[in-house]
Amino acid sequence: MTSNSALPTDTDALVLTGVGRRFGALAAVSNVNMTIKQGERRAVLGPNGAGKTTLFNTICGDFPPTSGRIHLFGQDISRLKPHQRARLGIGRTYQTSLLFTGLSVLENLYLAVRGARKGRFSMLKAGPGDADVAYARALADRVRVTQLLSAQVDAISHGQRRQVEIGMALAGNPKLLMLDEPAAGLSAAERPELVALIRSLPRDLTLVLIEHDMDVALSNSDIVTVMKDGVVVVENTPDLIADDPVVQSIYLGGGH
Amino acid sequence: MIMMTNRQWLMTGAVVVLLLMLPLFLPNFWLANILGRAMVYGIVALSLTFLAHYGGFISLAQTMMAGVAGYAVAMMAPTAIPLGPLAMSYGYAIPLAVLAATLTGALVGLIAVNTREIYLLMITLALAVGFSLFAQSNTQWFRGYEGIRNIVGPEVFGMPFRTHLVFYYVALITAVLMYLLVLYVVRTPFGLALQAVRDSARRTSAIGFSVALHRIGAFALAGFIAGCGGVLITFYNIGITPSSIGLWPTVAVLIMAVIGGLGHPLGAFLGALIYAVMDTFASSIIGHDRFNTLIGLVFLTIVLISPDGVWGIGKRLAGLGGGKEPITDPVAKLTAGGK
Ligand SMILES: Nc1ncnc2c1ncn2[C@@H]1O[C@H](COP(=O)(O)OP(=O)(O)O)[C@@H](O)[C@H]1O
Ligand SMILES: [Mg+2]
């Protein structure tokens, strides 16, 4: 275990009880029970189609669960709309970047900052020296896209979009951050930057990380959950997970 | 997002000054019946361009929103024939009419809140046709087929509204204000969020915005813009009838916006101008029946050679001749100090 191995607190950040999600006849996720402590780093592993992204979608509300309950810091959020969940402190990234391609990088980040506070309908432009704009710039620094502030998002590279994704997820100062394969498509040179960024997250932030890269996943988590065919198959600490026979059968079987 | 550089502001200013001085050169007919008309219909088309370009919503309800304002001002007008029970001074009637259109816009947005693309088109078309049929069949308030006549508008500095100069200048000032309003709003949090909804509704809600409320808000603002146009159109036509808000006028606004180019608010006015010129001159040369065929052909040609309309052609020509766009400071662009 690594530098961020300080123990999570006793507060439950996220509790899933019997969570399932069906798409027609397909049970993409079934009966998932999971308790994530505040400040915990949780990695979710599993082959493609295991239901990892769908699990994120049930939590953030894009595709709410068709069964089961979700509690965020004790509050039942199962029936809330995505924007209401976001305002309660959930920030997420998407496996395939979902950015505002017609807007600049700065505008993307600025909107993510504004979305987290009142005045979302403001018809007044930000004034000079506006604190939200300044914060958006600071986020750009943090995810290393400062040189791209004025670039329209559909003109920047894949790796840069992944950075903006993370910047937007961080903009609302979330209590729960969910990263969906943040390293996917990044070059070998870009990966250490991503890991450094993950390690620099505040310790009381709760992180759920979907990651195919075993090294990134295992070295950045307190507990690892392995999913397959929509169900949780193993949940354990990173040092024990690699030797787990079930995990070995999934990964050596070439499941991903 | 559209940004105006210093050069573009200069050009806009120059065009406005030119338009302000036109009455020195142009005959009254051109002022009122071509340019004035293009501006007031252009305002309604602008309301569509705003929704389409920044929100990604193609709506056919803009003429209806304008019609609500038109009927509202007519019902409340002190000069109306026949005079309604709500008659009041224009000073109250005009803002109330624009308010009615704004609320109608919000209502349309609410009704269509979950529909997209072709379904949005169908729903707004149904609302537009439904409203026009309702106006036609309601004799008590809407006065049926006949509509409401003699809506001459208020006096401005002691001159009747329908004086060519007065109408021209009021239309021009309103059009410029609406144009600047759109350019301003799209750089505020509200307007940026609208473009966010267009690009990714999922991400927009994931960062805390209510997509539904933003859509309704956008339609309300579109209703406000269309309502300002609708009041002026009613003064221009000296009244309002159900046929003036029927199927063809509804489609005409879409045609104007597309011919001019949905990619920029200016396109709405370019399209309305082309439409007014063709309607005026082509109709008298080839006959009004064939006008529809002609405008249909022009529409097709433009869509085929330049999907972003006349504005798009102009942009490409400017791109060929002019230098590169100057790089703008991204922060200045977002904040009030920016141009
Ligand atoms: N919106 C959707 N509609 C229909 N099926 C979906 C949808 N999202 C995911 N699925 C299906 O659910 C299953 C799990 O997918 P996903 O959660 O993306 O897996 P993972 O992220 O683990 O690769 C897959 O079979 C996928 O096709
Ligand atoms: Mg996935």
Side-chain angles (χ1 to χ4, degrees):
Chain A
M1 301 253 294
T2 53
S3 58
N4 57 9
S5 60
L7 280 181
T9 69
D10 263 349
T11 318
D12 289 342
L14 182 72
V15 180
L16 309 186
T17 324
V19 166
R21 170 74 207 195
R22 306 191 69 90
F23 293 108
L26 173 79
V29 165
S30 8
N31 194 29
V32 170
N33 297 291
M34 200 182 265
T35 299
I36 302 181
K37 299 278 181 202
Q38 181 183 10
E40 182 178 324
R41 268 63 174 145
R42 172 73 61 108
V44 180
L45 294 178
N48 271 330
K52 307 178 298 293
T53 297
T54 303
L55 190 68
F56 269 22
N57 287 335
T58 64
I59 297 167
C60 81
D62 278 359
F63 295 98
T66 42
S67 57
R69 301 255 134 226
I70 299 175
H71 288 81
L72 182 74
F73 291 98
Q75 181 181 354
D76 187 346
I77 59 165
S78 322
R79 298 265 169 278
L80 296 186
K81 298 254 167 54
H83 68 268
Q84 294 169 319
R85 301 188 194 201
R87 291 177 198 176
L88 289 175
I90 298 183
R92 74 164 291 186
T93 66
Y94 292 84
Q95 185 175 348
T96 328
S97 296
L98 273 187
L99 298 172
F100 310 132
T101 47
L103 298 178
S104 71
V105 167
L106 181 65
E107 283 160 350
N108 271 263
L109 292 168
Y110 173 66
L111 267 179
V113 175
R114 288 302 300 237
R117 70 168 186 79
K118 293 237 181 292
R120 298 175 189 91
F121 276 84
S122 169
M123 292 208 196
L124 290 178
K125 269 167 65 173
D130 181 86
D132 295 321
V133 176
Y135 186 51
R137 295 192 64 164
L139 282 167
D141 278 344
R142 191 146 169 220
V143 295
R144 296 169 219 272
V145 290
T146 312
Q147 337 72 7
L148 301 168
L149 284 181
S150 60
Q152 195 163 307
V153 165
D154 58 10
I156 67 176
S157 76
H158 174 81
Q160 293 162 337
R161 288 186 198 201
R162 304 302 299 164
Q163 306 279 87
V164 179
E165 275 279 323
I166 297 177
M168 289 181 74
L170 287 173
N173 290 319
K175 295 186 214 143
L176 171 67
L177 177 66
M178 305 195 293
L179 304 179
D180 194 346
E181 301 197 21
L186 291 193
S187 67
E190 288 166 325
R191 265 159 214 254
E193 285 187 6
L194 175 72
V195 171
L197 180 74
I198 291 176
R199 294 202 176 146
S200 74
L201 294 172
R203 198 46 254 198
D204 59 345
L205 179 94
T206 310
L207 173 73
V208 189
L209 174 73
I210 297 177
E211 189 45 71
H212 270 313
D213 185 318
M214 273 281 199
D215 287 342
V216 174
L218 297 188
S219 61
N220 288 287
S221 57
D222 303 311
I223 298 188
V224 180
T225 299
V226 182
M227 291 182 72
K228 188 172 191 288
D229 299 330
V231 297
V232 172
V233 286
V234 188
E235 191 169 290
N236 219 329
T237 51
D239 43 342
L240 297 176
I241 212 84
D243 301 329
D244 190 287
V246 185
V247 176
Q248 289 197 334
S249 76
I250 290 175
Y251 278 88
L252 296 179
H256 73 301
Chain B
M1 198 188 60
I2 294 163
M3 258 296 296
M4 298 240 280
T5 58
N6 281 332
R7 205 183 69 194
Q8 283 164 320
W9 276 110
L10 230 83
M11 273 174 60
T12 311
V15 169
V16 171
V17 169
L18 182 73
L19 287 170
L20 283 172
M21 282 167 36
L22 273 186
L24 297 174
F25 318 109
L26 276 185
N28 281 338
F29 177 80
W30 267 89
L31 283 184
N33 296 53
I34 307 277
L35 291 174
R37 175 183 163 190
M39 286 173 205
V40 295
Y41 281 93
I43 293 172
V44 182
L46 172 71
S47 141
L48 170 59
T49 306
F50 164 70
L51 283 180
H53 182 62
Y54 299 102
F57 313 126
I58 305 278
S59 152
L60 281 172
Q62 305 322 108
T63 299
M64 172 218 179
M65 297 174 198
V68 166
Y71 266 107
V73 78
M75 285 174 197
M76 295 183 280
T79 57
I81 300 176
L83 194 65
L86 290 180
M88 59 181 80
S89 92
Y90 276 114
Y92 294 108
I94 295 172
L96 282 176
V98 173
L99 177 67
T102 309
L103 294 176
T104 304
L107 187 66
V108 172
L110 180 67
I111 292 171
V113 74
N114 283 318
T115 51
R116 286 177 171 77
E117 288 147 20
I118 187 82
Y119 302 101
L120 179 63
L121 210 68
M122 295 311 291
I123 272 199
T124 50
L125 179 63
L127 289 171
V129 172
F131 179 65
S132 137
L133 290 177
F134 174 75
Q136 197 174 90
S137 59
N138 180 294
T139 45
Q140 198 191 351
W141 289 95
F142 292 77
R143 304 286 170 180
Y145 269 106
E146 299 259 300
I148 304 170
R149 288 169 291 129
N150 200 43
I151 311 304
V152 292
E155 291 197 342
V156 180
F157 301 123
M159 284 181 287
F161 197 90
R162 287 281 309 166
T163 315
H164 291 98
L165 270 187
V166 172
F167 177 71
Y168 175 76
Y169 277 123
V170 174
L172 174 61
I173 290 167
T174 314
V176 170
L177 286 179
M178 293 297 134
Y179 175 71
L180 293 179
L181 173 73
V182 168
L183 288 188
Y184 178 83
V185 160
V186 299
R187 290 167 64 199
T188 65
F190 171 75
L192 289 169
L194 182 62
Q195 296 163 81
V197 170
R198 172 198 65 197
D199 291 347
S200 171
R202 262 179 93 183
R203 170 66 87 171
T204 309
S205 48
I207 57 174
F209 290 96
S210 162
V211 170
L213 280 182
H214 263 85
R215 287 185 59 148
I216 294 170
F219 272 84
L221 182 59
F224 172 82
I225 296 170
C228 292
V231 168
L232 292 176
I233 289 173
T234 306
F235 295 159
Y236 173 77
N237 291 324
I238 328 180
I240 186 163
T241 62
S243 64
S244 73
I245 57 165
L247 182 59
W248 180 250
T250 290
V251 174
V253 166
L254 180 68
I255 291 181
M256 289 176 205
V258 172
I259 289 183
L262 286 172
H264 191 285
L266 206 54
F269 295 101
L270 291 176
L273 180 63
I274 294 171
Y275 192 96
V277 169
M278 286 184 43
D279 192 24
T280 307
F281 297 108
S283 286
S284 59
I285 298 169
I286 61 167
H288 196 79
D289 290 343
R290 293 199 198 128
F291 166 72
N292 290 356
T293 315
L294 180 69
I295 196 85
L297 283 175
V298 170
F299 182 77
L300 262 182
T301 316
I302 297 259
V303 170
L304 286 177
I305 59 172
S306 171
D308 41 5
V310 171
W311 175 79
I313 297 176
K315 196 175 90 165
R316 259 167 270 142
L317 289 180
L320 289 179
K324 266 193 161 179
E325 290 234 327
I327 296 163
T328 47
D329 173 2
V331 175
K333 178 177 155 188
L334 201 54
T335 54
K339 293 279 168 54

